[in-house]
Amino acid sequence: INSMDRVSNSNPPTFKTNTYKHSYNELLPSLLVAADLTDKLVLRFAAYRTYVRPQPRNVTPTTQISGGPSTYTVALGNVNIRPYTANSYDLSLEWYNRPNGLIAIDVYQKDVKGLITPLTGIANLCPSDATQWGLGHLSVNGTVCQSDIAGNPIVNISGNTNNPNPIRAQGLEFTAQQNLDFLPAPWDKLGGEVNYSHTTIHGINPDGSKAVLPGVSKNNYNLIAYYET
């Protein structure tokens, strides 16, 4: 990652290039075991480790300030964000009750370390000293962060960091898929699938608030109908 710093106020100004480099590696083992309990009943277990690299927009070497004069937006830079990792475990029992039919139940757990999460806490979102950004000193006024420079503008600060606290996701999933080929034509080509998943998140953010996983719902339903020949 490269960034440019102004080193003089000459016309045109001169700049120097700052270069930031990080390297990382991960061992990613995985295990999958399947046991045929009967001709129609299968037990599966999976354990695997994964990692996710930060998105480029999460790793920026510069702090960007925009807006004014009544509201300023500050996007904090952070070149020290690291990939986050997860150890996942799945155990499922699957019953193939008839041709192209499946009824299954699955329990799963995912332990996440270093999750990239938005900055939280007054110290990060409304620091008392913002003179390095030209925004004077900040203080909380009701529900907003306000500067003491002329006009007392509102300052909205955002950024990302690796959560130092582990996050655990646990869940239960039920799936059923059936063909309706026992019906008289033309209804015998119909089929459907229903899926329900319940997920709970355990963990806290750096400021002590309850952690969430973006895009992960507590309850998720899917209903699919199809006609297949």
Side-chain angles (χ1 to χ4, degrees), residues 139-152:
S139 60
V140 177
N141 184 5
T143 60
V144 300
C145 182
Q146 201 160 27
S147 170
D148 64 356
I149 64 175
N152 299 119

Side-chain angles (χ1 to χ4, degrees), residues 3 28-29 42 59 64 74 99 104 111 119 136-137 144 149 160 163 167 178 182 193 206-207 214-215 222 226:
S3 71
L28 304 174
V42 179
V59 186
Q64 301 179 16
V74 180
D111 296 320
L119 287 173
H137 294 84
V144 300
I149 64 175
N160 295 282
N163 191 343
I167 306 297
Q178 297 292 304
F182 51 84
E193 177 180 341
D207 67 345
N222 295 282
Y226 58 85

Side-chain angles (χ1 to χ4, degrees), residues 163-216:
N163 191 343
N165 305 312
I167 306 297
R168 171 170 288 180
Q170 294 177 316
L172 175 69
E173 183 175 36
F174 172 79
T175 301
Q177 176 178 318
Q178 297 292 304
N179 283 344
L180 304 182
D181 50 8
F182 51 84
L183 296 178
W187 312 111
D188 57 339
K189 303 300 191 294
L190 286 171
E193 177 180 341
V194 61
N195 171 274
Y196 167 72
S197 180
H198 177 82
T199 305
T200 56
I201 308 299
H202 307 277
I204 58 175
N205 292 315
D207 67 345
S209 60
K210 182 176 174 57
V212 298
L213 288 177
V216 178

Side-chain angles (χ1 to χ4, degrees), residues 11-224:
N11 189 14
T14 58
F15 295 85
K16 68 175 182 178
T17 300
N18 298 319
T19 301
Y20 305 88
K21 294 182 179 181
H22 290 294
S23 61
Y24 41 81
N25 57 78
E26 288 287 340
L27 181 65
L28 304 174
S30 61
L31 172 69
L32 176 62
V33 179
D36 294 329
L37 303 181
T38 69
D39 290 344
K40 295 183 177 181
L41 199 61
V42 179
L43 181 68
R44 298 184 194 272
F45 173 76
Y48 49 94
R49 181 175 174 84
T50 56
Y51 85 111
V52 178
R53 290 173 291 185
Q55 298 184 27
R57 66 175 176 266
N58 292 142
V59 186
T60 175
T62 59
T63 293
Q64 301 179 16
I65 304 172
S66 59
S70 60
T71 302
Y72 288 90
T73 299
V74 180
L76 299 177
N78 190 343
V79 296
N80 296 314
I81 292 179
R82 308 289 292 180
Y84 62 92
T85 61
N87 293 326
S88 302
Y89 311 93
D90 293 89
L91 180 66
S92 65
L93 185 63
E94 304 166 2
W95 178 36
Y96 298 88
N97 62 316
R98 52 194 314 278
N100 297 315
L102 166 68
I103 298 175
I105 189 168
D106 176 76
V107 292
Y108 53 88
Q109 177 173 302
K110 186 182 294 288
D111 296 320
V112 184
K113 292 183 178 180
L115 181 70
I116 299 174
T117 184
L119 287 173
T120 56
I122 295 300
N124 292 317
L125 302 182
C126 194
S128 59
D129 187 357
T131 54
Q132 72 272 27
W133 305 323
L135 296 176
H137 294 84
L138 307 180
S139 60
V140 177
N141 184 5
T143 60
V144 300
C145 182
Q146 201 160 27
S147 170
D148 64 356
I149 64 175
N152 299 119
I154 294 172
V155 180
N156 297 313
I157 300 175
S158 64
N160 295 282
T161 188
N162 289 105
N163 191 343
N165 305 312
I167 306 297
R168 171 170 288 180
Q170 294 177 316
L172 175 69
E173 183 175 36
F174 172 79
T175 301
Q177 176 178 318
Q178 297 292 304
N179 283 344
L180 304 182
D181 50 8
F182 51 84
L183 296 178
W187 312 111
D188 57 339
K189 303 300 191 294
L190 286 171
E193 177 180 341
V194 61
N195 171 274
Y196 167 72
S197 180
H198 177 82
T199 305
T200 56
I201 308 299
H202 307 277
I204 58 175
N205 292 315
D207 67 345
S209 60
K210 182 176 174 57
V212 298
L213 288 177
V216 178
S217 300
K218 183 177 181 180
N219 296 291
N220 189 73
Y221 308 84
N222 295 282
L223 181 61
I224 301 171

